[in-house]
Amino acid sequence: MTNVKMTIKVARMAYDPDAYPAFAVTADLVVLTLREHALHALLVRRGGKPYAGRWALPGGFVQVDEDLEDAAYRELAEEAGVGRGDVVLEQLRTYGAPRRDPRMRVVTVAWLALGADLPDPRAGSDAADARWWRVADLLADPRRLAFDHAQILADGVERARAKLEYSTLATAFCPAEFTVGELRSVYEAVWGAALDPRNFHRKVTGAEGFLVETGERTTRGGGRPAMLHRAGAATALTPPILRPSP
Amino acid sequence: MTNVKMTIKVARMAYDPDAYPAFAVTADLVVLTLREHALHALLVRRGGKPYAGRWALPGGFVQVDEDLEDAAYRELAEEAGVGRGDVVLEQLRTYGAPRRDPRMRVVTVAWLALGADLPDPRAGSDAADARWWRVADLLADPRRLAFDHAQILADGVERARAKLEYSTLATAFCPAEFTVGELRSVYEAVWGAALDPRNFHRKVTGAEGFLVETGERTTRGGGRPAMLHRAGAATALTPPILRPSP
DNA sequence: ACAAAAGTGTTTGTGTTACACCCATGT
DNA sequence: ACATGGGTGTAACACAAACACTTTTGT
């Protein structure tokens, strides 16, 4: 939605413009990471109209010969300075209400990107003004966001929260090597709830394929040295780790 | 993909065709129902190229001023003779690989539609040739389907199977009033696995908000009269009813 | 010595499975 | 009488919550 420098190559496509309506298609991103033990999302400030000065999800037009997923990765690199290996990316949902962008008919394929220690976007970014926001603040004040991006953000956050339960997605928020306590703080930050360290440890080390011990220990974080782990091969988490109900 | 009678109204939209590429957007449907205790999907036969004679998911172009969900409901009515109240509809996923349609760049928003006793599509249908197929046969022989529709169908079936576990979606396959045994046969048909009738009964009647008794009984299906139920207000199913593992 | 975090053990309760058993109808 | 499906009871087991307790570091 912010990067409009590419040009159309309609001549390449054998299509009859009288046969069907033409849409613009964008790839927009809900990029989530943890900073200071809180869930943060990346937003870019809009320069021009509409919604000038408001904040929006990073994203932009999909190119004619570009796969949807490739477009998401490209925008991630251009607007967030984030490479393919730095995040886990999954398709979220597609938004296409007729007047969600007052300029024209835009269909937005939204993607969810999760990563650990993602960089401050000022460095090497396409977008002049971009920053991380606490997700809790954004959800509490949806007016800050342009278009229907508050809804997209809320859908992305809920997807992330739900997937922590029955998938191994939480490791996407961790560096290559991490302790069980660090993994627990991921769950606690995303869910906004405290978990019992003892029960969490048992569940997470018992789930097959979730974690593999490196053999090394660390004392970062203080206290007794903790075993370091890497993410295992499993993607599904059995049995699941459920959110506390109330 | 089959209905190409609408015309473009580009003049209505204030857009600059040099600023971004133009895409065609379609709404395609994975319509599932139960017939003869087996999961069936609706397909239409393609008349023209490409993939002439092959079978495809029902669907068509989204109109300029039309919401994506409205387009899905419209195609459902035009190609399947199914009204809004007859199905539960949810967005599945969006498919947009550059050459998935050799004619032009098409982005397809796929929808999952589940209903009970859906009509034979010959009556009152737009599509000349349309019929129900056993899902098991289609999944076993993906070549029968045009474009990437075998993948879309497989994604839709997997979504339906997964959602039966932790949502009340199964009632979408049932008529307004149904017995616990009929609901169980839904689970068995969608999952392709036998369930213990006694334990199923307990789980399903114990899950809060899933079923409400009508007070009436029926003897259809033989045996002792069974209580009739309607779908309750709940959408989430707690505790979930999990698929048998092996 | 003390704080802090890691990790283990135990108890108690809840949900699941497997299956015995009884109930109410049609033929 | 018997087959058929509806529905309840129960014992064995897995899992989760809550929490006492030990271990190993830094200060």
Side-chain angles (χ1 to χ4, degrees), chain A residues 30-32 39-43 55-57 131-145 149-151 153-154 157:
Chain A
V30 177
V31 190
L32 301 179
L39 193 61
H40 282 67
L42 183 67
L43 299 182
W55 294 81
L57 298 175
R131 56 163 283 208
W132 293 101
W133 293 76
R134 294 183 96 92
V135 163
D137 296 343
L138 295 175
L139 295 180
D141 183 12
R143 304 289 188 87
R144 230 187 304 247
L145 297 199
H149 287 191
Q151 182 64 51
L153 174 72
V157 170

Side-chain angles (χ1 to χ4, degrees), chain B residues 53-91:
Chain B
R54 300 275 276 285
W55 293 81
L57 299 175
F61 292 109
V62 178
Q63 297 181 348
V64 216
D65 274 322
E66 188 179 36
D67 190 35
L68 297 179
E69 186 171 350
D70 292 338
Y73 276 120
R74 180 177 50 74
E75 294 294 341
L76 210 42
E78 288 177 5
E79 303 210 7
V82 170
R84 283 184 184 243
D86 302 332
V87 290
V88 167
L89 183 74
E90 77 172 47
Q91 194 181 306

Side-chain angles (χ1 to χ4, degrees), chain A residues 194-215:
Chain A
L195 302 176
D196 185 295
R198 288 96 37 125
N199 292 335
F200 182 84
H201 187 281
R202 224 192 326 263
K203 287 186 199 182
V204 105
T205 53
E208 185 134 4
F210 193 10
L211 304 182
V212 285
E213 296 188 352
T214 64

Side-chain angles (χ1 to χ4, degrees), chain A residues 14 64 66 91 94 103 105, chain B residues 14 64 66 91 94 103 105:
Chain A
V64 217
E66 188 179 36
Q91 193 181 307
T94 295
R103 296 166 296 178
R105 185 68 198 270
Chain B
V64 216
E66 188 179 36
Q91 194 181 306
T94 295
R103 295 168 296 177
R105 185 70 198 270

Side-chain angles (χ1 to χ4, degrees), chain B residues 196-209:
Chain B
D196 185 296
R198 287 94 40 124
N199 293 334
F200 183 84
H201 187 280
R202 224 191 327 261
K203 288 186 196 181
V204 105
T205 53
E208 185 134 3

Side-chain angles (χ1 to χ4, degrees), chain A residues 101-147:
Chain A
D101 185 325
R103 296 166 296 178
M104 55 188 160
R105 185 68 198 270
V106 179
V107 165
T108 289
V109 182
W111 297 81
L112 183 60
L114 310 180
D117 301 324
L118 297 182
D120 226 297
R122 325 273 166 155
S125 160
D126 208 39
D129 212 352
R131 56 163 283 208
W132 293 101
W133 293 76
R134 294 183 96 92
V135 163
D137 296 343
L138 295 175
L139 295 180
D141 183 12
R143 304 289 188 87
R144 230 187 304 247
L145 297 199
F147 306 106

